[in-house]
Amino acid sequence: MTNSTSSAATAPQVVHENGVGEIKLLSSTDDDYGGVIVEMDGPMDSTTFLSILRASISHWRQLGKKTIWIKLPIHLVSVVEPLVKEGFGYHHAEPEYLMLVYSILESANTIPANATHRVGVGAFVMNEKREILAVKEKSGPFIGVWKFPTGTVDQGEDLCAAAIREVKEETGVDTEFVEVLAFRQMLETYFTKSELFVLCILRPLSFDIQVQEQEIEAAQWMPWEDYAAQPFMEKQEIKKMNEAFWAKIDGHYSGFTPHLTSSSFSDKKCLLFLNSEGA
Amino acid sequence: MTNSTSSAATAPQVVHENGVGEIKLLSSTDDDYGGVIVEMDGPMDSTTFLSILRASISHWRQLGKKTIWIKLPIHLVSVVEPLVKEGFGYHHAEPEYLMLVYSILESANTIPANATHRVGVGAFVMNEKREILAVKEKSGPFIGVWKFPTGTVDQGEDLCAAAIREVKEETGVDTEFVEVLAFRQMLETYFTKSELFVLCILRPLSFDIQVQEQEIEAAQWMPWEDYAAQPFMEKQEIKKMNEAFWAKIDGHYSGFTPHLTSSSFSDKKCLLFLNSEGA
């Protein structure tokens, strides 16, 4: 007997328990780590929910399950307090849901860590006249500076695609990915979360500029000398990035290039970034 | 008049409003993006809380604040539902708290993205006899394989320190950081979150092995030939990592080395990883 179904739903399952009677259990799917995942969606009365939840936990315990995950959409916020009082903890949250977790087997190792980093991307894009694609932002810490386009990798997005997307959104220029020039880890940039910023080189495939007016004040192809002469570029970190880029243009720097692979232990999409020149 | 105080607390402030009377407001601190942060801690009756919250929102609106953050410890879970009903959304959660956010100024750009990635580290550590430090894990997808030590970067931890810590925890061996050999982005490894895995080279500073018995079955210094001859090493991704490592040992591969800098726009600690040989 198993309570795992391929479709996750809130409609409780009816399970025959040793022929003695019928109890309702929450529908769930198994994860790869000995846990079960319940995706709630429909509305449910708190009292009914709690009795079904308790029967389900007891059932999963008998099956030797280690961890129970409940993904609770924000419209079911009334169930958060009862779940916490039953011993569930917070794991992570997104605007549309809260993920709660309960350890049947007491061991910190069975609960995977939450995401700790945002991933940012920035892109050097140079045309054949050795002009660099530069933007001025409307707000934020870089006001008044001509800088390379930057942005944040979306949930589930690969970072090469993110760099191409951000350049297209901010400037209208189409590009293809060349390599990762450098990356930076910045600690605790927002609350307790850190950021990994990946600096890329992209090759332009189009040249007409169309500014995204919501975030960008202006964009242009700019002679490298003018770009690098801005006082802002004297900052140590920026200077090192510019030097690496110029060394690359001069042919004596190699960054990391992406190789599409699959994980050694799952079928998840992977990009492996390596120094291809040396390998 | 300002409601910002350096100490965040739940004790409502008493503010004189145009001399007409006194209203209580939530204590808050300003963030760097035109928002205010409220850190709740003490218990508060829901009805009282809501009336103070509404007065506070109205006050912050007058001050031109864009965003309100409420960091709510899990023991105040009873306030989650009232906050969501007032229009607050989830931003992120950790085991000990839920962060809720409210946009006074309707614009998606004022709310920073949540963390999307976990960051993993792995470490090649080789001694002078060209033996590699290898471990066998007690559980998980690598059972039975001799592999390099791996782990997850803690919240707020720099990734070089994380690699050194994981090697020490799993094997007892002290090391120093040399360079980043490669990195990998794996999409949607757990729920919707992705992973960046950073493969490092560390230099051993001690050689005695002491196994962490909770996670590790065995650890040893292992001849590279035996290590690389395992069938597992034929997997494409692992093979590329091994080839890069061996190219490095042979002197014709360069990865990225860390440079401690500070951010160009804040005082946050930064590690910038660059190819030093080419720069």
Side-chain angles (χ1 to χ4, degrees):
Chain A
M1 184 180 74
T2 170
N3 71 310
S4 300
T5 61
S6 57
S7 71
T10 48
Q13 276 185 297
V14 175
V15 175
H16 295 268
E17 188 87 14
N18 305 323
V20 195
E22 288 184 351
I23 52 162
K24 287 184 175 180
L25 298 179
L26 291 167
S27 291
S28 66
T29 52
D30 289 341
D31 70 12
D32 298 335
Y33 303 85
V36 296
I37 306 171
V38 178
E39 295 204 28
M40 303 285 296
D41 53 12
M44 200 185 293
D45 162 69
S46 274
T47 316
T48 311
F49 172 70
L50 277 182
S51 81
I52 296 172
L53 175 70
R54 285 172 190 157
S56 303
I57 292 179
S58 151
H59 178 69
W60 290 320
R61 193 186 300 275
Q62 282 171 27
L63 291 178
K65 298 297 180 189
K66 296 175 184 168
T67 314
I68 301 162
W69 299 93
I70 293 187
K71 185 176 174 179
L72 197 68
I74 193 163
H75 70 84
L76 296 181
V77 62
S78 64
V79 192
V80 176
E81 187 178 4
L83 279 170
V84 170
K85 288 188 171 159
E86 285 296 303
F88 278 77
Y90 302 148
H91 186 265
H92 67 274
E94 295 295 326
E96 64 275 14
Y97 73 89
L98 175 63
M99 184 71 80
L100 297 115
V101 64
Y102 179 94
S103 286
I104 294 181
L105 205 72
E106 282 301 334
S107 160
N109 289 327
T110 59
I111 298 177
N114 191 1
T116 51
H117 287 65
R118 281 184 282 168
V119 179
V121 284
F124 278 119
V125 186
M126 186 168 260
N127 67 17
E128 293 192 345
K129 288 185 270 184
R130 294 204 164 187
E131 292 166 332
I132 194 88
L133 184 58
V135 299
K136 269 191 179 173
E137 294 179 351
K138 283 193 169 169
S139 62
F142 299 109
I143 281 187
V145 176
W146 288 105
K147 59 180 274 296
F148 48 73
T150 54
T152 304
V153 176
D154 288 339
Q155 196 121 283
E157 188 180 32
D158 89 54
L159 66 89
C160 304
I164 291 168
R165 175 183 54 73
E166 286 288 350
V167 169
K168 177 71 176 175
E169 282 177 9
E170 295 192 355
T171 70
V173 171
D174 294 303
T175 55
E176 63 183 3
F177 197 84
V178 180
E179 69 176 42
V180 169
L181 194 69
F183 70 91
R184 180 189 67 184
Q185 185 190 25
M186 184 156 64
L187 298 184
E188 303 196 336
T189 45
Y190 217 91
F191 302 116
T192 55
K193 302 297 182 178
S194 298
E195 181 174 308
L196 271 167
F197 172 79
V198 183
L199 180 61
C200 309
I201 299 187
L202 307 183
R203 186 179 297 118
L205 299 173
S206 74
F207 301 91
D208 287 347
I209 285 177
Q210 192 144 16
V211 168
Q212 181 210 51
E213 296 190 354
Q214 198 189 349
E215 292 175 27
I216 303 297
E217 185 188 313
Q220 66 167 329
W221 293 102
M222 189 174 185
W224 177 261
E225 297 69 33
D226 298 350
Y227 178 85
Q230 301 176 91
F232 175 79
M233 301 297 167
E234 288 306 309
K235 287 174 190 280
Q236 185 194 21
E237 170 190 59
I238 303 294
K239 199 168 178 164
K240 279 183 186 293
M241 292 181 182
N242 286 349
E243 284 167 358
F245 175 65
W246 203 247
K248 174 73 195 173
I249 296 297
D250 275 354
H252 50 272
Y253 184 96
S254 56
F256 287 171
T257 49
H259 302 259
L260 187 62
T261 68
S262 59
S263 160
S264 51
F265 55 89
S266 79
D267 57 356
K268 302 293 184 182
K269 180 181 173 185
C270 279
L271 287 173
L272 179 63
F273 294 82
L274 287 166
N275 184 341
S276 301
E277 291 185 28
Chain B
M1 184 181 77
T2 170
N3 70 309
S4 300
T5 61
S6 57
S7 72
T10 48
Q13 276 185 298
V14 175
V15 175
H16 294 269
E17 188 87 16
N18 305 322
V20 194
E22 288 185 352
I23 53 162
K24 287 183 175 180
L25 298 179
L26 291 167
S27 291
S28 66
T29 53
D30 290 341
D31 70 12
D32 298 335
Y33 303 85
V36 294
I37 306 169
V38 178
E39 294 204 31
M40 304 284 295
D41 54 12
M44 200 185 291
D45 161 70
S46 275
T47 316
T48 313
F49 172 69
L50 277 181
S51 81
I52 296 172
L53 176 70
R54 286 174 189 155
S56 303
I57 292 178
S58 151
H59 177 70
W60 290 320
R61 194 186 300 275
Q62 283 171 28
L63 292 178
K65 297 298 179 189
K66 296 175 182 167
T67 314
I68 302 162
W69 299 93
I70 294 187
K71 185 175 175 181
L72 197 67
I74 193 163
H75 70 84
L76 297 181
V77 63
S78 64
V79 192
V80 176
E81 187 178 1
L83 280 170
V84 169
K85 288 187 172 160
E86 285 296 304
F88 278 77
Y90 302 148
H91 185 266
H92 67 274
E94 295 295 327
E96 63 277 11
Y97 72 90
L98 175 63
M99 184 70 80
L100 296 116
V101 63
Y102 180 94
S103 286
I104 294 181
L105 204 73
E106 281 302 333
S107 161
N109 289 329
T110 58
I111 298 178
N114 191 1
T116 52
H117 287 65
R118 282 183 281 167
V119 179
V121 284
F124 279 118
V125 185
M126 187 168 260
N127 66 17
E128 292 192 345
K129 289 185 269 183
R130 294 206 163 184
E131 292 167 331
I132 194 89
L133 184 58
V135 300
K136 269 191 179 173
E137 293 179 350
K138 283 193 169 168
S139 62
F142 300 109
I143 281 187
V145 176
W146 287 105
K147 59 181 275 295
F148 48 72
T150 54
T152 304
V153 177
D154 288 338
Q155 195 122 282
E157 188 180 31
D158 88 54
L159 66 88
C160 303
I164 292 168
R165 175 182 55 73
E166 286 288 350
V167 170
K168 177 72 176 175
E169 281 177 10
E170 294 192 354
T171 69
V173 171
D174 295 302
T175 55
E176 63 183 4
F177 197 84
V178 180
E179 69 177 40
V180 169
L181 194 68
F183 70 91
R184 180 188 68 185
Q185 185 191 26
M186 184 156 64
L187 298 183
E188 302 196 338
T189 46
Y190 217 91
F191 302 116
T192 56
K193 302 298 182 178
S194 298
E195 181 174 309
L196 272 168
F197 172 79
V198 182
L199 180 60
C200 308
I201 299 187
L202 306 184
R203 185 178 296 118
L205 300 174
S206 73
F207 301 91
D208 286 347
I209 287 177
Q210 192 144 15
V211 167
Q212 182 210 53
E213 297 190 352
Q214 198 189 350
E215 292 174 26
I216 302 297
E217 186 189 313
Q220 66 168 329
W221 292 102
M222 190 175 183
W224 177 262
E225 298 68 32
D226 298 349
Y227 179 85
Q230 301 176 92
F232 175 80
M233 301 296 167
E234 288 306 308
K235 288 173 190 281
Q236 185 194 20
E237 171 190 58
I238 303 293
K239 200 167 176 161
K240 279 184 187 291
M241 291 180 183
N242 287 348
E243 284 167 0
F245 176 65
W246 203 246
K248 174 72 195 175
I249 296 297
D250 274 355
H252 50 272
Y253 184 97
S254 56
F256 287 171
T257 49
H259 302 258
L260 186 63
T261 68
S262 59
S263 159
S264 51
F265 56 89
S266 78
D267 57 357
K268 302 291 183 184
K269 179 182 173 185
C270 279
L271 286 173
L272 180 63
F273 293 82
L274 287 166
N275 184 340
S276 302
E277 290 187 27

